[in-house]
Amino acid sequence: MEFLDSHCHLDDARFDVDREKLIEEIRKADITKFVSAGYSKEASKTGIALSKKYEFIYTTCGISPNDIPQTEDELWKDIGEIKTLVKENIDDSKIVAIGEIGLDYYWEKDLKRRDWQKQAFVRQIEIANKFDLPIVIHTREAVMDTIEILKKNPVDKKGVFHCCPLNRELVKEALKLGFYISFAGTITFKNSKNANEIIEMVPNDKMLIETDSPYLAPEPVRGTRNDPRNVKFIAQKVAEVKKISLEDVAKITYKNATTIFDI
């Protein structure tokens, strides 16, 4: 049985003490491919380096809404550097998407900076289209604006709602637009009200699994440093709700991830 963790952050400082050892342990645990997701200029560079070093690691590049710089000039400079990074490395690394990008109003209350998030989202969709890549979307408490931007700025190769919020309307609209839905550790939490309903809403051919590690460790290891080995707990939850085998979930999500990311 093979698993593919479609979104983790192996560049995170919490992995500095044992990154190389952990990567080998992940492989031994049947997690045979994983995507180290970029969220800033620095994280994107680290992801590219990891993808070049390990044949089973892939990466994304982008500026997340929670990593918008302090000034508008810095923001456009960083996005320009993301575009250059992709252009210079797309042929000899394994860049599979632009992301994570999107909107996050939970952390950002300033209306001007929310507008910067929107503009950054659109500009990075343009980068994705230029390089014929899908996008990886982060959205939190910004459902309507996220969907509106995607409708007004079509993404040629679509993409994934990563760690998708358990919001019926968001999932409904995302599926109508042709996007994939990625489930993370939140679906295993005891206080996740809509988890089972949302899992049932997503067709098998549109679902992915991810850890978003080192964050959001699933039950039964919640509260620990998360890593890609824990993607099995998320797959098990999906299997229970959909009443299919763990092996089927592994096969389905592996195939879906390799399809959308062209791995």
Side-chain angles (χ1 to χ4, degrees):
M1 197 180 324
E2 294 181 293
F3 293 86
L4 195 159
D5 182 355
S6 66
H7 193 108
C8 59
H9 297 289
L10 290 176
D11 63 283
D12 192 275
R14 275 173 272 189
F15 294 124
D16 286 351
V17 294
D18 61 350
R19 184 176 290 105
E20 292 194 8
K21 179 183 177 184
L22 177 63
I23 286 172
E24 292 307 320
E25 289 176 354
I26 293 166
R27 285 277 289 172
K28 291 174 184 176
D30 298 325
I31 319 301
T32 57
K33 288 184 173 65
F34 40 101
V35 179
S36 184
Y39 55 85
S40 66
K41 182 174 60 179
E42 293 74 21
S44 298
K45 288 178 179 177
T46 302
I48 288 170
L50 286 170
S51 76
K52 290 182 178 181
K53 184 173 183 179
Y54 298 96
E55 55 90 16
F56 48 84
I57 296 180
Y58 300 81
T59 193
T60 71
C61 295
I63 308 293
S64 88
N66 292 323
D67 291 271
I68 298 291
Q70 291 303 306
T71 71
E72 194 170 4
D73 286 345
E74 288 177 298
L75 172 58
W76 308 138
K77 181 181 177 183
D78 281 3
I79 288 178
E81 290 190 34
I82 290 293
K83 184 176 182 179
T84 299
L85 269 177
V86 176
K87 182 179 180 180
E88 291 178 349
N89 292 282
I90 197 165
D91 292 331
D92 62 348
S93 71
K94 300 190 294 297
I95 300 171
V96 296
I98 299 300
E100 60 188 87
I101 62 176
L103 306 176
D104 193 318
Y105 296 167
Y106 179 84
W107 294 111
E108 186 57 77
K109 307 302 181 186
D110 183 272
L111 294 180
K112 180 178 72 174
R113 290 182 60 82
R114 285 186 178 184
D115 186 59
W116 292 358
Q117 287 188 13
K118 293 177 185 177
Q119 292 182 55
F121 191 12
V122 172
R123 289 204 187 186
Q124 291 180 99
I125 288 173
E126 291 170 354
I127 294 173
N129 286 340
K130 177 175 177 59
F131 293 101
D132 197 30
L133 291 169
I135 64 173
V136 175
I137 303 166
H138 170 112
T139 183
R140 191 174 186 188
E141 296 196 1
V143 170
M144 298 312 296
D145 283 354
T146 300
I147 295 299
E148 182 180 2
I149 285 174
L150 292 173
K151 286 180 176 178
K152 290 182 177 178
N153 302 271
V155 185
D156 295 341
K157 292 200 76 173
K158 304 303 179 183
V160 181
F161 275 80
H162 113 83
C163 190
C164 189
L166 303 178
N167 179 294
R168 299 179 192 88
E169 193 61 26
L170 174 63
V171 171
K172 179 182 173 183
E173 292 299 320
L175 291 171
K176 280 203 289 191
L177 288 171
F179 285 82
Y180 288 71
I181 303 297
S182 184
F183 296 121
T186 50
I187 65 169
T188 71
F189 296 171
K190 292 181 175 65
N191 61 348
S192 288
K193 297 177 182 177
N194 301 329
N196 289 12
E197 179 186 356
I198 298 298
I199 292 169
E200 290 173 347
M201 279 181 67
V202 179
N204 288 359
D205 64 353
K206 286 295 182 181
M207 67 178 182
L208 302 182
I209 51 175
E210 63 168 277
T211 58
D212 200 20
S213 51
Y215 317 106
L216 300 176
E219 299 288 357
V221 293
R222 190 174 181 183
T224 66
R225 184 188 73 170
N226 199 9
D227 74 59
R229 291 173 293 183
N230 294 329
V231 79
K232 293 179 181 180
F233 295 121
I234 296 151
Q236 184 60 52
K237 172 67 175 182
V238 173
E240 290 169 3
V241 173
K242 286 186 171 284
K243 295 180 173 57
I244 57 178
S245 70
L246 179 62
E247 185 173 5
D248 282 344
V249 174
K251 287 179 179 178
I252 290 165
T253 55
Y254 201 103
K255 181 178 183 293
N256 292 343
T258 57
T259 297
I260 185 61
F261 292 133
D262 195 20
I263 293 173

